[in-house]
């Protein structure tokens, strides 16, 4: 029997996130047992075979033999075949499960992603050790699938960065955009300029992020840190082994106060400074001087060391939120405008970015910048990261530039996900719930077929003014990352409704619940913060995390373990004029709680 995974009528959905491009069901099951062997075709395939062997040993308490495929496969084999297929590209794969054999074929990245799908299936069916037979043919919708992690406002341990990379790899994301410099802290060791970390990595105090203005202010505690070059090499290698590319970002010409505090001569004027590393969140007028050659020598030196650490073809050079006030008053900048026959300070920024782009191009690299780099003229070969509005991405594509979509709505993950009074403190004006993230389509529609091909990917953004712990970053990232992964990977015509995603999510959150990571527990299914009218209701609830318990009450108090435990549908009958208040909460096996949902039932008569 065959059928599409998306016509879920006769067969169970495989539950993979992101949903594969094509799934055909086949008769029978494959049993993972003591007789199972893992075979590989060559050294590329051997890496994934070894990874799977470790997984089976840890998760299923079996230790299968791993050896090179000689042609004799036996009756229970898992085979990795390095076999690139032009129609699948370098990241596509084919996963075939029959009663006698599982085979994953593809190029190096494809084999890795095929393994991720197989691992998800094995986790789902680990209780039986039997996998349903199927054929998956899969490939990504976009080449660039990533997140941006800011460490300028707050810095996080290498172990945490690796944990994020593990999650990206599991869900077939392939870019970790590392925002390493800010007004509020310089986070990368540059050996030629040691003051960047001696001075620029430390601020004297930090703004207290508090929803109550009466308690806002400064904490008066020194804060800082940076990544050594050895640590960066370690992270880059760790990511590469998981098919994740690290794209570093060195901000310019704005968001540069930490660098100016370290080397004041980089600022505007004949006697610039003194400067100090920023202590309050916001945008600062002190920026790199665009009129001094010493500025460009400094940045070229920095980027030279950066490129030695990061093999990524793409280097991010910022370009956003650069005030022009200092340039307007700087004799060096004004002379540059005259000498280069520039119209104004916006064209001066374009000149600045073009110089940096040409420098990167000479080293075989490609520059990417935030969409403000289009102001004053877009550097010829630069990629654009659209953040302010999708109109900026459309504009860049029409100018024949490659675009990565990262719009504030819905892909800024520093925005809250639910009712503000129940969410951790975050950006005051933003609201990007899970369903909104999943519903996002990076295809803006207002482009020709050729221009649409220039939309090369999507990226979520984690700005950390209000995220000072790894646990809070995780809360803001998961499970929105899983929704973004499906936006980035699954073909548009195969991506189903939000409900389809939410049906598969509980299994994945159960896995996440068993790790040490934090995450936001979604609300129980079947209820919402709303008012419903009628005389009788059948309340059917579903856990947002597999294994979670749902507690509820009708007395208006915060629900918890002392209240009713949901087991069966609740029948509610109301007389004319009656009203009931239902409060529900989900509690996961690890003890994490969802926000409380309040539903009002009324019978106005």
């Amino acid at each position: 029997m065959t059928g599409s995974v998306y016509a879920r009528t006769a067969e169970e959905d495989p539950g993979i996130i992101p949903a594969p491009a094509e799934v055909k069901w086949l008769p029978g099951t494959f049993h993972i047992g003591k007789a199972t062997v893992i075979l590989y075709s060559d050294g590329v395939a051997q890496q994934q075979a070894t990874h799977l062997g470790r997984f089976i040993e840890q998760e299923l308490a079996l230790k299968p033999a791993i050896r090179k495929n000689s042609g004799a496969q036996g009756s229970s084999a898992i085979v990795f075949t390095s076999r690139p297929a032009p129609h699948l590209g370098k990241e596509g794969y084919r996963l075939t499960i029959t009663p006698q054999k599982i085979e994953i074929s593809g190029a190096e990245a494809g084999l890795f992603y095929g393994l991720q799908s197989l691992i998800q299936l094995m986790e789902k069916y680990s209780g039986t050790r039997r996998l349903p037979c199927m054929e998956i043919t899969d490939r990504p919708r976009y080449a660039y699938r990533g997140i941006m992690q800011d460490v300028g406002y707050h810095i996080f341990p290498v172990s945490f960065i690796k944990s994020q990379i593990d999650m990206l790899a599991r869900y077939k994301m392939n870019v970790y955009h590392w925002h390493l410099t800010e007004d509020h802290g310089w986070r990368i060791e540059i050996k030629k300029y040691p003051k960047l970390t001696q001075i620029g990595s430390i601020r004297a105090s930090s703004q207290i992020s508090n929803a109550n203005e009466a308690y806002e202010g400064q904490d008066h505690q020194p804060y800082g840190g940076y990544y050594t070059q050895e640590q960066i090499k370690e992270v880059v290698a760790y990511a590469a082994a998981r098919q994740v590319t690290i794209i570093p970002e060195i901000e310019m010409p704005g968001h540069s106060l930490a660098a100016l505090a370290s080397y004041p001569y980089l600022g505007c004027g004949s006697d610039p400074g003194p400067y100090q590393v920023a202590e309050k969140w916001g945008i600062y007028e002190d920026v790199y001087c665009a009129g001094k050659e010493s500025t460009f020598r400094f940045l070229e030196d920095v980027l030279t060391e950066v490129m030695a650490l990061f093999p990524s073809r793409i280097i991010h050079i910022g370009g956003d939120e650069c005030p022009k006030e200092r340039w307007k008053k700087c004799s060096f900048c004004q002379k540059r405008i005259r000498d280069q026959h520039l119209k104004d300070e916006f064209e001066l920024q374009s000149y600045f970015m073009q110089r940096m782009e040409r420098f990167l191009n000479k080293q075989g690299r490609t520059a990417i910048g935030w969409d403000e780099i289009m102001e004053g003229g877009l550097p010829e070969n630069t990629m654009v990261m659209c953040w302010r509005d999708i109109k900026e991405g459309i504009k860049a594509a029409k100018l024949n530039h490659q675009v990565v979509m990262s719009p504030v709505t819905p892909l800024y993950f520093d925005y809250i996900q639910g009712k503000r009074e129940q969410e951790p403190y975050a950006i005051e004006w933003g609201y990007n719930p899970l369903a909104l993230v999943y519903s996002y389509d990076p295809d803006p529609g207002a482009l020709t077929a050729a221009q649409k091909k220039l939309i090369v990917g999507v990226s979520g953004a984690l700005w950390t003014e209000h995220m000072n712990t790894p646990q809070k970053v995780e809360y803001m990232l998961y499970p929105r990352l899983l929704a973004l992964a499906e936006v980035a990977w699954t073909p548009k015509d195969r991506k189903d409704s939000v409900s389809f995603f939410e049906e598969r999510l509980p299994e994945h959150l159960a896995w996440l619940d068993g790790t040490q990571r934090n995450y936001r527990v979604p609300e129980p299914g079947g209820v919402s913060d709303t008012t419903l009218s009628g005389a009788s209701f059948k309340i059917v609830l579903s856990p947002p995390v597999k294994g979670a318990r749902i507690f509820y009450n009708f007395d208006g108090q915060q629900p918890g373990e002392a209240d009713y435990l949901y087991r069966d549908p609740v029948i509610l009958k109301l007389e004319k004029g009656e009203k009931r208040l239902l409060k529900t909460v989900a509690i996961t096996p690890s003890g994490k709680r969802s926000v409380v949902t309040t539903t009002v039932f009324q019978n106005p008569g």
Side-chain angles (χ1 to χ4, degrees), residues 110-299:
L111 288 173
F112 180 84
Y113 292 133
L115 175 60
Q116 304 315 306
S117 291
L118 179 59
I119 284 175
Q120 288 189 23
L121 289 170
M122 286 184 171
E123 289 169 343
K124 180 174 182 177
Y125 296 102
S126 61
T128 65
R129 296 187 182 177
R130 290 187 177 274
L131 303 182
C133 292
M134 66 186 77
E135 181 180 84
I136 295 176
T137 304
D138 203 8
R139 57 201 170 275
R141 180 182 182 187
Y142 290 107
Y144 186 116
R145 308 177 302 279
I147 61 168
M148 185 285 302
Q149 177 63 67
D150 154 51
V151 293
Y153 291 101
H154 288 100
I155 187 171
F156 307 100
V158 166
S159 59
F160 174 68
I161 304 300
K162 289 181 176 180
S163 174
Q164 288 183 302
I165 290 168
D166 286 338
M167 286 292 287
L168 291 178
R170 177 180 173 87
Y171 291 102
K172 302 183 177 74
M173 304 285 275
N174 64 354
V175 173
Y176 189 83
H177 168 186
W178 210 355
H179 183 86
L180 290 162
T181 68
E182 257 302 336
D183 291 307
H184 305 78
W186 184 282
R187 306 295 180 213
I188 176 173
E189 178 188 24
I190 302 297
K191 293 187 182 296
K192 190 169 184 178
Y193 297 96
K195 291 182 180 179
L196 289 171
T197 46
Q198 293 169 358
I199 297 173
S201 70
I202 303 170
R203 57 177 179 261
S205 181
S206 299
Q207 179 178 335
I208 297 172
S209 297
N210 198 296
N212 188 332
E213 292 183 0
Y215 296 97
E216 287 185 351
Q218 291 288 309
D219 65 7
H220 309 294
Q221 299 294 320
Y223 180 91
Y226 64 93
Y227 301 101
T228 67
Q229 292 198 0
E230 288 305 310
Q231 287 176 318
I232 288 172
K233 291 176 184 176
E234 178 185 342
V235 170
V236 168
Y238 188 89
R242 290 154 180 80
Q243 300 301 319
V244 174
T245 297
I246 309 282
I247 294 179
E249 179 179 358
I250 305 298
E251 268 278 12
M252 61 184 83
H255 289 288
S256 52
L257 195 50
L260 300 185
S262 307
Y263 295 96
Y265 72 84
L266 299 170
C268 285
S270 299
D271 186 24
Y275 306 105
Q276 66 178 34
V277 181
E279 299 172 5
K280 294 182 179 180
W281 315 141
I283 301 170
Y284 289 79
E285 291 185 353
D286 288 305
V287 302
Y288 288 120
C289 180
K292 297 177 180 175
E293 285 302 302
S294 56
T295 298
F296 294 99
R297 285 195 297 271
F298 166 81
L299 288 171

Side-chain angles (χ1 to χ4, degrees), residues 253 268 284-285 287 319-330 333-334 344-350 372 375:
C268 285
Y284 289 79
E285 291 185 353
V287 302
D320 64 312
E321 299 177 329
C322 178
K324 310 298 190 291
E325 295 306 309
R326 295 291 186 261
W327 289 357
K328 290 177 181 179
K329 299 175 183 179
C330 174
C333 292
Q334 292 304 309
D344 53 22
E345 287 74 25
F346 288 96
E347 288 195 359
L348 179 60
Q349 176 165 330
S350 179
E372 287 98 326
E375 297 172 356

Side-chain angles (χ1 to χ4, degrees), residues 57-102:
E57 185 174 0
Q58 292 169 0
E59 299 296 320
L60 302 180
L62 297 171
K63 193 168 184 178
I66 303 172
R67 60 175 181 264
K68 190 167 185 178
N69 189 2
S70 62
Q73 297 179 354
S75 60
S76 180
I78 304 175
V79 184
F80 289 87
T81 304
S82 181
R83 185 193 302 140
H87 69 287
L88 294 179
K90 65 180 183 179
E91 294 184 303
Y93 65 91
R94 179 171 282 113
L95 167 60
T96 304
I97 304 176
T98 66
Q100 293 77 36
K101 181 176 71 171
I102 296 175

